[in-house]
Amino acid sequence: MAISKIQMTKERITADNKRILNNGRMVDCNQLVPIKYQWAWNYYLDGCANHWMPTEVPMQRDIEQWKNPDAFTVDERHLIKRVLGFFATAESLVGNNLVLAVYRCIDNPECRQYLLRQSFEEAIHIHAFQYIVQSLSLDEGEMFNMYREVEAIYNKDEYAMSCTNSVLDPSLDTNTKEGLQTLLKNMVGLYVITEGIFFYGGFVTMLSFGRQNRLPGTCEQIQYILRDESIHMNFGIELINAIRDENPGAWDKDFEQEIIKFIINAVELECAYCKECLPQGVLGLNTNLLREYVQYLADRRFERLRLPKQYGSNNPFPWMSEVIDLKKEKNFFETRVTEYQTGGALEW
Ligand code: FE
Ligand code: MN
């Protein structure tokens, strides 16, 4: 397999020579320009325009609220800890998959430019949860071990990672149909399932606190993460579809069925996780509404993957689309200006 080696040739490379997976043809993973995949470069620019750092977000009000025994019910505290506990390690799983498995296989320079940007964003997200856990003085051992100790979290992580090992295998050959399917399935596990479904139970429940001005610093960070993640997922789906278009044999009917099942099972795991986080309803949320939302999201993902919708559910939380879609001058919860269009916006 050629993807682990950089082959130098003396022939000139043009944009037309470029492929998403060069697959040992005329391998060049260093020439960003001339650009063939403008969309990948645009995602990179979008990611840079959204730059933020966790430690810029004040946590004082969160600390005061969290210390106040009357500010949260027992169920609310359970929910918040389960959500933070899931994210605390999930961001690391994503980062590792990205750097060790996906980056190795995707050797087009425009796509790699975005993958490098995304990798740094995952580092920022990991940092964010470390910063939140530390600010609120949560038990670090408890939070960072939840993916081992809480079954519903373990099941999600285990599921998303189940197809990563075969991509890490040095004998993986993306010149074969089987090898390509292995890579594509892992990419669906990362971009569609983890970032596009498994993160959303946590997003919608935490942002429900933010809408009531509770844990405003935590929720502001989660809002930035959500904004980043929606770009990650959109890039990932575009990348999956581009690989598919360049390798028409790989995505056959059997594989399509396998991917549909893969996503349907993920929806069930996310619903089980929501049930574990939220055994009783809080904040107008309950497991039925969350199921409807997760199914609604899955249908959107199916459409983007050019697959038939499976559920026909409606969006019970239309306000979430506003949080995701709007390039607001202020953040959704009106705490501070949040657009980082230039590095000059930072104060030193
Ligand atoms: Fe992330
Ligand atoms: Mn991500």
Side-chain angles (χ1 to χ4, degrees):
M1 107 144 175
I3 53 173
S4 59
K5 279 193 186 158
I6 297 172
Q7 286 174 4
M8 290 296 288
T9 70
K10 292 191 172 175
E11 287 161 69
R12 180 170 280 223
I13 304 281
T14 67
D16 284 347
N17 297 126
K18 288 184 165 183
R19 301 187 83 226
I20 303 277
L21 304 164
N22 283 305
N23 290 324
R25 289 161 75 243
M26 189 189 283
V27 176
D28 187 284
C29 48
N30 300 304
Q31 284 181 230
L32 175 65
V33 181
I35 285 178
K36 178 172 182 183
Y37 303 102
Q38 187 62 42
W39 53 268
W41 178 250
N42 292 345
Y43 278 112
Y44 166 75
L45 296 177
D46 288 348
C48 294
N50 285 342
H51 187 68
W52 65 286
M53 287 301 285
T55 45
E56 295 166 341
V57 179
M59 289 293 287
Q60 200 48 47
R61 283 175 64 203
D62 298 53
I63 294 165
E64 286 160 16
Q65 288 176 358
W66 192 251
K67 276 189 186 150
N68 176 356
D70 303 324
F72 298 96
T73 66
V74 172
D75 284 350
E76 286 171 343
R77 284 181 197 271
H78 171 83
L79 166 61
I80 291 163
K81 285 201 272 179
R82 284 292 188 260
V83 170
L84 296 175
F86 165 69
F87 279 117
T89 45
E91 298 286 2
S92 290
L93 292 183
V94 169
N96 286 326
N97 192 342
L98 202 60
V99 169
L100 298 172
V102 176
Y103 191 90
R104 194 170 67 95
C105 296
I106 306 296
D107 53 8
N108 166 264
E110 298 93 296
C111 295
R112 279 193 164 176
Q113 181 75 2
Y114 183 76
L115 293 174
L116 289 171
R117 172 73 216 180
Q118 188 191 342
S119 305
F120 180 52
E121 289 173 13
E122 301 306 350
I124 291 170
H125 300 170
I126 294 164
H127 184 177
F129 290 102
Q130 180 275 343
Y131 176 59
I132 293 166
V133 166
Q134 189 182 45
S135 300
L136 300 181
S137 301
L138 293 168
D139 179 340
E140 292 169 356
E142 180 191 355
M143 302 306 288
F144 285 83
N145 278 294
M146 271 191 198
Y147 81 130
R148 302 172 186 284
E149 295 172 354
V150 176
E151 202 185 344
I153 298 181
Y154 175 90
N155 289 342
K156 287 198 330 176
D157 287 347
E158 210 276 329
Y159 191 69
M161 299 305 286
S162 62
C163 40
T164 307
N165 276 343
S166 32
V167 179
L168 295 173
D169 181 347
S171 70
L172 173 82
D173 183 357
T174 51
N175 284 304
T176 65
K177 177 173 168 180
E178 204 189 21
L180 261 180
Q181 290 184 344
T182 300
L183 171 63
L184 286 166
K185 190 168 177 191
N186 181 53
M187 289 174 68
V188 170
L190 192 163
Y191 284 112
V192 180
I193 292 178
T194 304
E195 297 192 312
I197 293 175
F198 286 172
F199 280 10
Y200 278 78
F203 286 149
V204 74
T205 51
M206 283 310 294
L207 294 176
S208 298
F209 287 98
R211 295 179 86 207
Q212 302 183 337
N213 256 309
R214 298 160 84 193
L215 300 179
T218 301
C219 290
E220 185 177 335
Q221 292 179 71
I222 289 189
Q223 190 196 343
Y224 297 146
I225 292 173
L226 168 61
R227 184 176 65 176
D228 293 340
E229 294 302 346
S230 76
I231 297 183
H232 298 174
M233 184 195 69
N234 285 326
F235 168 82
I237 292 177
E238 201 141 344
L239 184 57
I240 289 166
N241 286 336
I243 293 173
R244 196 174 150 180
D245 289 340
E246 287 186 1
N247 302 275
W251 193 287
D252 59 19
K253 285 283 161 210
D254 286 347
F255 187 63
E256 191 164 297
Q257 287 310 309
E258 189 180 333
I259 292 298
I260 292 172
K261 272 198 213 122
F262 191 36
I263 296 174
I264 287 176
N265 286 335
V267 166
E268 292 312 310
L269 291 173
E270 184 59 7
C271 291
Y273 165 76
C274 290
K275 202 168 173 188
E276 153 61 44
C277 291
L278 204 90
Q280 274 110 205
V282 296
L283 306 167
L285 298 168
N286 60 53
T287 48
N288 290 337
L289 284 173
L290 288 167
R291 167 174 287 277
E292 206 181 331
Y293 185 57
V294 173
Q295 291 180 344
Y296 163 82
L297 292 174
D299 272 348
R300 301 282 81 72
R301 314 312 183 223
F302 281 123
E303 284 181 311
R304 295 285 317 279
L305 288 169
R306 308 169 192 164
L307 297 170
K309 287 198 283 182
Q310 303 292 315
Y311 301 103
S313 302
N314 294 315
N315 182 2
F317 308 117
W319 55 270
M320 276 293 283
S321 326
E322 279 181 64
V323 189
I324 302 165
D325 297 337
L326 289 190
K327 276 231 159 194
K328 292 206 148 195
E329 305 211 335
K330 283 186 136 197
N331 94 48
F332 194 69
F333 311 115
E334 306 282 342
T335 53
R336 61 200 280 272
V337 175
T338 58
E339 245 177 334
Y340 289 82
Q341 291 296 346
T342 64
L346 298 176
E347 278 177 23
W348 296 94

